[in-house]
């Protein structure tokens, strides 16, 4: 996904299958796992935070937010909160995957390069607006669709498979409307950056 979105050099204009074959031929199997260390640790924390926050927001909303809006408000607030964690984790992932073989020895080396060039604030804030623009509606769609699917008798009849199918469908539906914003986020984050440099979401969107 990152190779296709950054469309750099020999990957420009390739489809998903052609991109996969090019990664295998130029970077080997390891090329498919660029940034995996930070993502594995980061996603464990991010998903745990998202589900815990969603449950907590739902409790806080009782008697405050209209019942019809509680689910979507809690989900979107969870997306807002987790954006603060997602942004730096995905910054490293994007740079590692876009850079290809040899540029960074590992995720820590990549993070150090970002900190040296962009500072701590750059690591945590470059692409944050785009991350929020993706995560907030995405979580809103995901949790609402999932809850409504799980409430259907046809899904309840599936037993243990209900959550698997509902989760898969929710995941597909939550990505479709936010994918254009994800492309912009990738473009913004795919740089070591310069301290104090400000990048506009809309400027990058127009360039894309």
């Amino acid at each position: 996904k990152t190779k296709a979105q950054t469309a750099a050099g020999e990957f420009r204009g390739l489809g998903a299958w052609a991109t996969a074959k090019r990664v295998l031929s130029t970077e080997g199997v390891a090329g498919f796992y660029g940034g995996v260390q930070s993502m594995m640790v980061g996603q464990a924390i991010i998903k745990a935070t998202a589900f815990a926050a969603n449950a907590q927001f739902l409790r806080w909303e009782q008697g405050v937010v209209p019942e019809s809006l509680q689910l979507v408000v809690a989900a979107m607030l969870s997306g807002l909160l987790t954006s603060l964690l997602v942004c730096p984790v995905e910054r490293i992932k994007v740079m590692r995957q876009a850079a290809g073989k040899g540029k960074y020895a590992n995720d820590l080396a990549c993070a150090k390069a970002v900190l040296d060039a962009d500072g701590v604030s750059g690591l945590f804030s470059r692409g944050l607006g785009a991350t929020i623009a993706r995560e907030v509606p995405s979580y809103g769609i995901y949790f609402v669709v999932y809850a409504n699917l799980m409430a259907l008798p046809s899904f309840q009849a599936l037993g243990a498979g209900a959550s698997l199918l509902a989760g898969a469908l929710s995941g597909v539906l939550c990505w479709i409307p936010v994918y254009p914003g994800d492309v912009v986020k990738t473009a913004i984050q795919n740089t070591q950056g310069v301290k104090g440099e400000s990048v506009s979401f809309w400027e990058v969107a127009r360039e894309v």
Side-chain angles (χ1 to χ4, degrees):
K1 179 175 76 71
T2 302
K3 295 288 191 189
Q5 289 178 342
T6 54
E10 59 187 321
F11 291 95
R12 187 176 299 277
L14 297 181
W17 181 242
T19 298
K21 290 197 295 184
R22 186 63 59 85
V23 170
L24 184 61
S25 66
T26 59
E27 301 176 32
V29 175
F32 294 106
Y33 294 92
V36 70
Q37 299 98 328
S38 60
M39 281 298 290
M40 287 180 66
V41 175
Q43 283 299 319
I45 298 171
I46 289 164
K47 296 307 181 187
T49 301
F51 281 87
N54 185 65
Q56 186 61 54
F57 284 134
L58 283 171
R59 286 192 288 270
W60 286 344
E61 288 173 355
Q62 300 302 313
V64 178
V65 178
E67 188 173 349
S68 60
L69 297 176
Q70 287 178 4
L71 190 57
V72 68
V73 170
M76 293 176 77
L77 287 173
S78 300
L80 178 62
L81 178 62
T82 55
S83 294
L84 302 175
L85 302 173
V86 171
C87 187
V89 170
E90 292 205 356
R91 173 83 181 277
I92 302 305
K93 183 210 73 168
V94 164
M95 290 183 60
R96 286 274 279 142
Q97 292 180 345
K101 187 177 181 179
K103 184 169 184 179
Y104 303 108
N106 50 48
D107 289 3
L108 288 177
C110 181
K112 184 180 184 302
V114 172
L115 289 170
D116 289 343
D118 214 7
V120 175
S121 62
L123 175 63
F124 285 89
S125 65
R126 185 177 294 273
L128 180 59
T131 303
I132 291 172
R134 184 192 72 179
E135 296 293 287
V136 169
S138 178
Y139 272 91
I141 295 167
Y142 183 89
F143 280 108
V144 170
V145 171
Y146 180 83
N148 281 281
L149 288 176
M150 290 297 289
L152 294 174
S154 56
F155 269 77
Q156 293 174 0
L158 297 174
S163 58
L164 181 65
L165 180 58
L169 291 174
S170 301
V172 171
L173 291 174
C174 80
W175 262 104
I176 293 173
V178 304
Y179 195 79
D182 182 66
V183 174
V184 176
K185 183 190 80 68
T186 298
I188 292 173
Q189 292 189 316
N190 184 29
T191 173
Q192 288 182 187
V194 178
K195 290 181 181 179
E197 179 186 57
S198 178
V199 182
S200 165
F201 178 93
W202 297 112
E203 287 177 2
V204 175
R206 282 195 294 269
E207 289 177 6
V208 170

